[in-house]
Amino acid sequence: MALFRMLRYHWLIFRRLQEDPRRIAAGMALGVFIGITPTIPLHTVIVLSLAALLRVSPVTAFIGIQIGNPLTVVPIYIACYKLGQFLLYRGQPLVFPETFSFKAWMDVLWQGGVALQVGGVILAIPPAIVSYFVTLWIVQRYRRRKAAKALSVLALSQNPPAASGPEA
């Protein structure tokens, strides 16, 4: 039930936005991009800073980062790491040092972190592009329907239908 309430809440916020549809869609694309990249403790800070810098909708950017939630973060990060590992190290697994050495462990962490970041950036590009066009389509469609409905209500108020029934 909480998931349904959260989705409904985000939809209500989304419907009330009055910005340009391209800014709304660009904000969503930015949020989805940052939500997929492995920068989990800083998603909100990064997305709000970049939204202000790029002049896109910070509200939809914040909604977009919700793609990286506790249910999806593990599969997304595994995919990011595997892609980065394949591209950078030809799929060779990380080799953990047999003895404890600070430098050896830092090398392992660096190798894994770089693979995770590179894979995350590459993996985030297609969903960000798709989210831009889907969001743009949704906003434009919603606004067209809203305008058509307002126009029909206005037309009805100016030209009421002819009375029918016993009073006519």
Side-chain angles (χ1 to χ4, degrees):
M1 188 57 98
L3 177 64
F4 178 73
R5 288 187 67 198
M6 183 189 70
L7 291 174
R8 180 167 165 71
Y9 176 72
H10 286 314
W11 173 245
L12 290 173
I13 290 172
F14 186 76
R15 284 185 3 195
R16 292 185 177 130
L17 292 174
Q18 299 297 318
E19 297 179 66
D20 177 49
R22 290 179 300 275
R23 287 186 66 198
I24 293 171
M28 183 64 75
L30 174 67
V32 168
F33 181 84
I34 298 299
I36 292 176
T37 59
T39 54
I40 196 110
L42 303 172
H43 278 168
T44 304
V45 173
I46 292 170
V47 82
L48 293 179
S49 300
L50 286 176
L53 206 87
L54 299 173
R55 296 185 180 189
V56 299
S57 172
V59 174
T60 55
F62 182 76
I63 292 171
I65 64 172
Q66 303 304 316
I67 195 168
N69 61 53
L71 296 175
T72 61
V73 75
V74 172
I76 288 173
Y77 282 15
I78 289 172
C80 292
Y81 173 73
K82 293 288 185 184
L83 179 62
Q85 180 188 30
F86 175 77
L87 293 174
L88 296 175
Y89 308 114
R90 302 291 178 221
Q92 296 175 0
L94 283 175
V95 178
F96 294 98
E98 292 180 17
T99 60
F100 182 77
S101 161
F102 183 75
K103 183 185 179 329
W105 277 102
M106 289 309 290
D107 288 342
V108 168
L109 289 175
W110 177 258
Q111 183 181 359
V114 168
L116 188 64
Q117 291 296 332
V118 168
V121 168
I122 292 171
L123 196 66
I125 292 171
I129 292 170
V130 169
S131 69
Y132 174 83
F133 289 109
V134 168
T135 304
L136 184 63
W137 178 77
I138 289 171
V139 170
Q140 289 174 337
R141 183 171 183 242
Y142 174 75
R143 289 186 179 176
R144 274 194 306 266
R145 285 187 173 192
K146 188 176 174 182
K149 186 177 179 182
L151 197 58
S152 69
V153 168
L154 181 66
L156 280 177
S157 67
Q158 290 178 350
N159 300 325
S164 62
E167 293 90 25

